Amino acid sequence: MTIYRIQRIHDLEELDLTQLLLASRQEGFRMLDRLIDDFRNGHNRFNYPGECLLGVFDTSGNLVGIGGLNQDPYSLGLPLGRLRRFYILPACRRKGIGRRLANALLLEAKRTFLTVVLRTYTIQGAQFYESLGFTPYDTSTTSHIIRFNETSSDSS
């Protein structure tokens, strides 16, 4: 059984992103290209309060997944977090790695935000996030939302 570790990424340029980048491009995704471009030009370095960029590494130190948490740039000043640039290598999916990474990001989010949003464009992505407790929330910038301050509506 391969053991994976989740670690905060402070400097994206210190990592070899080749494997993730090529795999994401083959699937038709450009989120990692945007991650790299935004990090290099300083537009998004995941360094504002409440933000973080996490990587998943295998026992050999290879980066097999990545995901970030930002202050939501579309929220017009509301304290919303946004999951962004989330990607797991196809060969590493269905092993709980994505769930562990998403839960680590949500744990970080709970320290600062009451609500986290995201945008996914795939059915598989929607199913994954809904299995984590997100609910559909269709706007021009958001497909899913999770609120941490809601209490259960079950009452006996």
Side-chain angles (χ1 to χ4, degrees):
M1 178 167 122
T2 305
I3 298 174
Y4 299 91
R5 78 180 190 289
I6 297 174
Q7 179 178 315
R8 188 177 292 262
I9 297 170
H10 298 284
D11 188 351
L12 196 60
E13 298 190 64
E14 292 179 353
L15 300 174
D16 181 2
L17 296 165
T18 306
Q19 196 175 11
L20 283 179
L21 194 56
L22 291 175
S24 68
R25 286 176 180 167
Q26 286 175 346
E27 290 189 273
F29 298 127
R30 295 287 181 239
M31 82 275 276
L32 296 184
D33 290 284
R34 291 178 66 193
L35 170 68
I36 293 166
D37 290 344
D38 287 350
F39 195 90
R40 284 185 180 150
N41 67 28
H43 181 71
N44 185 3
R45 291 186 167 240
F46 298 89
N47 59 353
Y48 288 108
E51 296 186 343
C52 67
L53 182 62
L54 301 179
V56 181
F57 298 85
D58 66 14
T59 54
S60 299
N62 299 311
L63 184 66
V64 299
I66 198 163
L69 173 68
N70 282 128
Q71 297 175 9
D72 182 42
Y74 309 109
S75 66
L76 304 174
L78 298 174
L80 296 177
R82 177 172 286 270
L83 285 188
R84 302 184 101 176
R85 314 302 184 239
F86 193 96
Y87 187 78
I88 304 295
L89 282 176
C92 296
R93 294 179 190 156
R94 312 295 290 163
K95 297 179 181 181
I97 296 167
R99 182 171 297 281
R100 283 185 55 212
L101 178 58
N103 283 331
L105 289 165
L106 291 174
L107 185 62
E108 288 290 329
K110 286 179 182 180
R111 296 177 181 172
T112 305
F113 307 107
L114 296 176
T115 303
V116 173
V117 296
L118 62 89
R119 160 70 70 199
T120 186
Y121 296 95
T122 67
I123 293 170
Q124 296 86 358
Q127 291 170 341
F128 171 72
Y129 290 113
E130 288 169 22
S131 78
L132 293 169
F134 283 85
T135 56
Y137 189 82
D138 191 24
T139 70
S140 62
T141 61
T142 300
S143 66
H144 287 79
I145 188 169
I146 190 168
R147 292 181 175 95
F148 301 128
N149 61 340
E150 290 186 344
T151 57
S152 174
S153 60
D154 297 339
S155 51
S156 306

